[in-house]
Amino acid sequence: MLFRKKNKVDPNKKWYSIGIMSEKGLEDNEYDTLTEKIFDKVDNVGVIANLIREAWDKEQIEILEKKFDYPTLASPVFIVSEIIPEDIKRETKLLEKKHKWKKFFGFISLAEYLEAEDRAIFNFNHALLYTDSMEEVIGFLNEKSKETVSFNLN
């Protein structure tokens, strides 16, 4: 299982993604154990993904490490980011603009759309937490779940 998404989305809540990054990827049972622990303890996580460090964009990893002052962490690490719907829409529009004819004929694949969504969700410029402690992730997300979303109706 590569991705796991929650079924019910509350639009009045901020949603977060968690990238579980390891050097060569996690075994399915390891990944399932970690995701179950997280989903059981928090209710504001929309996406959890198993990220492979050596296959990930090196520029994004450098951004992440600079942002958090090059921490020394054990594998796996957890990267928590806020899910920003506008970024997902922007990446989708960029994909469709880049492949105008494929869009016109309906040939943009689901995989291409998911890849665009991943670029938006796992943009490490928006990372809020980078740690190897699951307890820290759970505490952070539970604290964030207490925050309310404010809407500007003007």
Side-chain angles (χ1 to χ4, degrees), residues 54-72:
E54 63 186 27
W56 203 254
D57 181 3
K58 305 297 182 222
E59 185 178 308
Q60 284 291 314
I61 291 174
E62 189 174 315
I63 288 168
L64 180 67
E65 290 178 339
K66 280 182 183 177
K67 184 172 185 167
F68 292 96
D69 202 26
Y70 298 98
T72 304

Side-chain angles (χ1 to χ4, degrees), residues 40 52 79 92 112 114-115 128 150:
D40 287 346
I52 301 170
I79 305 155
T92 301
E112 289 172 297
L114 290 174
E115 199 174 292
L128 302 172
S150 61

Side-chain angles (χ1 to χ4, degrees), residues 5-63:
K5 296 184 182 187
K6 284 228 175 179
N7 293 331
K8 296 180 183 176
V9 176
D10 181 355
N12 299 318
K13 186 184 288 188
K14 286 186 179 180
W15 289 91
Y16 298 89
S17 65
I18 301 175
I20 304 174
M21 185 176 282
S22 59
E23 294 304 316
K24 304 224 186 251
L26 298 173
E27 296 291 325
D28 285 344
N29 61 345
E30 261 185 303
Y31 175 76
D32 289 342
T33 301
L34 292 173
T35 58
E36 289 302 320
K37 285 181 184 177
I38 293 169
F39 279 134
D40 287 346
K41 306 240 180 191
V42 297
D43 66 348
N44 54 352
V45 174
V47 178
I48 298 180
N50 185 3
L51 308 177
I52 301 170
R53 185 179 192 89
E54 63 186 27
W56 203 254
D57 181 3
K58 305 297 182 222
E59 185 178 308
Q60 284 291 314
I61 291 174
E62 189 174 315
I63 288 168

Side-chain angles (χ1 to χ4, degrees), residues 3 38 44-45 53 70 73-74 89 120 133 142 151 154:
F3 291 95
I38 293 169
N44 54 352
V45 174
R53 185 179 192 89
Y70 298 98
L73 301 171
K89 289 175 188 171
S133 168
N142 282 326
F151 295 101
N154 295 331

